[in-house]
């Protein structure tokens, strides 16, 4: 035990010296305990979507360091938070396994979203405690910036979709994403009619931006196999960066058939969660790009693991946007991942800057997202500008089944 404590102090001490942090602060950081977890609602965001929630999580430690995360619903955050009180926030992987496996039943995607928000805050704590940005803790920068694509382009004054696409590319973004025609409002969706209209729409956008992967389309899981493949076949001679969600997502295995019947670059994953949700899609090379995102995967560590699986199978990463802090966290992960092809989605063509975060929590210029060198995730949260929902400061009174191996690692109960 003495040797273990010595090594832990030595590692933290060397890190502290490297970044100019006083040694006593690094030693104190190694003994931090979680004391309180608070949850806030994001003002003005009222969509009742569990998997695109924008609640803000604060994890407070007895050393005064507070980590910030984003996502999850009240019930999921509360259940997980009660299991974290008194725990060491530096043991991120251990806590992830504890929360993931400690309730016996495998977590659904809604719980993963809450777990991802809490895990995000743990990384923020660790970075702040060691005075380094999260991407340095993940291995350091692998790229100078992360390219972006836009879904819509608010800055454009053009009155046509073609004009907005042209303005988007001129602003420095890599690609402009469109959706299929129809499908909004109460008017019934005519599949035959909208297959033809969608194909024509794609041709017009491709001509406007000049091909070269400067546009992409999300079919929104709207079509069945026949119609989805009909659109893909018509797009093969064009140059979309990707075609997303060609068919419905209940049965990922269907992409074995889809992959064999089209040559368009396939993107899938925004509706999925951890690596076991869709690992076969990657391992069987049935898709070209993943759309997994934060906090939906269950956190930064899980996203990093998925990135490694993608690298070994030559699959790119183009994560879906969820909330503003999650966008900032994605820059840390992709900015420290092996150099596969990757893009990040920006709704409206620019990152959101809510008033409850500091203005410079995200670094965006010329259509690209750059790494933030501030400690942790680089975010400062003003709780006075958000809506307080709850605080958890006591450990759960209900025992949770946990099975540990002789070495202390957590297994399924």
């Amino acid at each position: 035990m003495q040797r273990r404590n010595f090594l832990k102090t030595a590692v933290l001490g060397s890190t502290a010296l490297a970044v100019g942090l006083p040694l006593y602060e690094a030693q104190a950081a190694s003994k931090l305990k979680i004391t309180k977890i608070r949850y806030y609602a994001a003002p003005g965001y009222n969509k009742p979507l569990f998997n695109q929630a924008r609640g803000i999580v604060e994890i407070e430690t007895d050393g005064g360091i507070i980590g910030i995360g984003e996502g999850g619903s009240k019930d999921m955050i509360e259940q997980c938070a009660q299991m974290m009180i008194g725990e060491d926030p530096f043991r991120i992987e251990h806590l992830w396994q504890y929360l993931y496996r400690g309730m016996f039943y495998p977590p659904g995607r809604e719980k993963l979203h809450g777990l991802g928000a809490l895990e995000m805050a743990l990384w923020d704590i660790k970075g702040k405690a060691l005075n380094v940005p999260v991407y340095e803790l993940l291995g350091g920068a692998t790229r100078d910036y992360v390219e972006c694509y836009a879904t819509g382009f608010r800055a454009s004054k053009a009155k046509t979709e073609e004009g907005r696409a042209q303005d988007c590319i001129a602003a420095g973004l890599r690609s402009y994403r469109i959706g299929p025609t129809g499908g909004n409002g109460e008017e019934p969706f005519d599949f035959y009619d909208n297959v033809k209209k969608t194909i024509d729409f794609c041709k017009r956008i491709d001509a406007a931006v000049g091909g070269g992967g400067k546009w992409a389309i999300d079919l929104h899981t709207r079509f069945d196999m026949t119609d989805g493949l009909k659109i893909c076949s018509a797009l093969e001679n064009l140059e979309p960066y990707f075609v997303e969600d060609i068919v419905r997502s209940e049965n990922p295995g269907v992409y074995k058939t889809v992959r064999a019947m089209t040559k368009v670059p396939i993107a899938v994953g925004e509706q999925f969660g951890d690596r076991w949700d869709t690992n076969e899609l990657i391992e069987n090379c049935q898709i070209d790009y993943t759309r997994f995102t934060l906090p939906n995967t269950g956190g930064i560590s899980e996203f990093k693991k998925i990135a490694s699986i993608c690298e070994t199978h030559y699959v790119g990463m183009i994560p879906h946007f969820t909330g503003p802090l999650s966008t900032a966290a994605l820059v840390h992960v992709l900015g420290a991942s092996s150099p596969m092809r990757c893009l990040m989605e920006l709704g409206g063509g620019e990152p959101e800057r809510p008033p409850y975060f500091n203005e410079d929590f995200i670094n965006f210029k010329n259509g690209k997202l750059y790494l933030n060198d501030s400690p942790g995730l680089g975010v400062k949260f003003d709780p006075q500008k958000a809506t307080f929902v709850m605080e958890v400061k006591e450990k759960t009174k209900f025992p949770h089944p946990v099975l540990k191996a002789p070495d202390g690692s957590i297994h399924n109960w």
Side-chain angles (χ1 to χ4, degrees), residues 4 54 154 190 246 367 375:
R4 183 189 303 169
R54 300 193 186 183
R154 284 191 292 268
D190 187 311
I246 297 167

Side-chain angles (χ1 to χ4, degrees), residues 77-117:
I77 294 294
E78 186 172 27
Q79 183 185 90
C80 292
Q82 288 174 351
M83 298 172 68
M84 298 174 69
I85 300 300
E87 297 290 334
D88 179 354
F90 268 37
R91 299 186 68 187
I92 298 174
E93 178 68 20
H94 168 79
L95 283 174
W96 193 92
Q97 296 292 341
Y98 176 46
L99 296 175
Y100 188 92
R101 305 182 188 283
M103 295 288 287
F104 179 62
Y105 293 102
R109 293 168 187 165
E110 287 77 16
K111 182 175 179 179
L112 277 170
H113 200 269
L115 173 52

Side-chain angles (χ1 to χ4, degrees), residues 6 58 98 119 149 155 184 229-230 322 340 366 369 396:
F6 169 77
E58 280 189 321
Y98 176 46
E119 196 257 17
Y149 67 97
N184 298 312
L229 287 171
K230 192 182 297 184
T322 47
M340 68 198 80
N366 301 321
L369 285 164
T396 178

Side-chain angles (χ1 to χ4, degrees), residues 169-210:
I169 301 304
L173 287 100
R174 179 64 180 84
S175 195
Y176 184 75
R177 189 181 77 151
I178 60 174
T181 61
N184 298 312
E186 297 182 0
E187 184 176 339
F189 185 75
D190 187 311
F191 293 95
Y192 289 96
D193 186 44
N194 282 293
V195 165
K196 295 175 183 178
K197 287 182 177 179
T198 295
I199 292 170
D200 179 66
F201 184 30
C202 291
K203 290 178 179 178
R204 289 188 280 115
I205 295 295
D206 181 71
V209 298

Side-chain angles (χ1 to χ4, degrees), residues 113-134:
H113 200 269
L115 173 52
L118 292 160
E119 196 257 17
M120 193 185 299
L122 294 177
W123 279 103
D124 192 40
I125 288 172
K126 197 163 192 173
K128 288 173 178 175
L130 299 179
N131 199 32
V132 293
V134 166

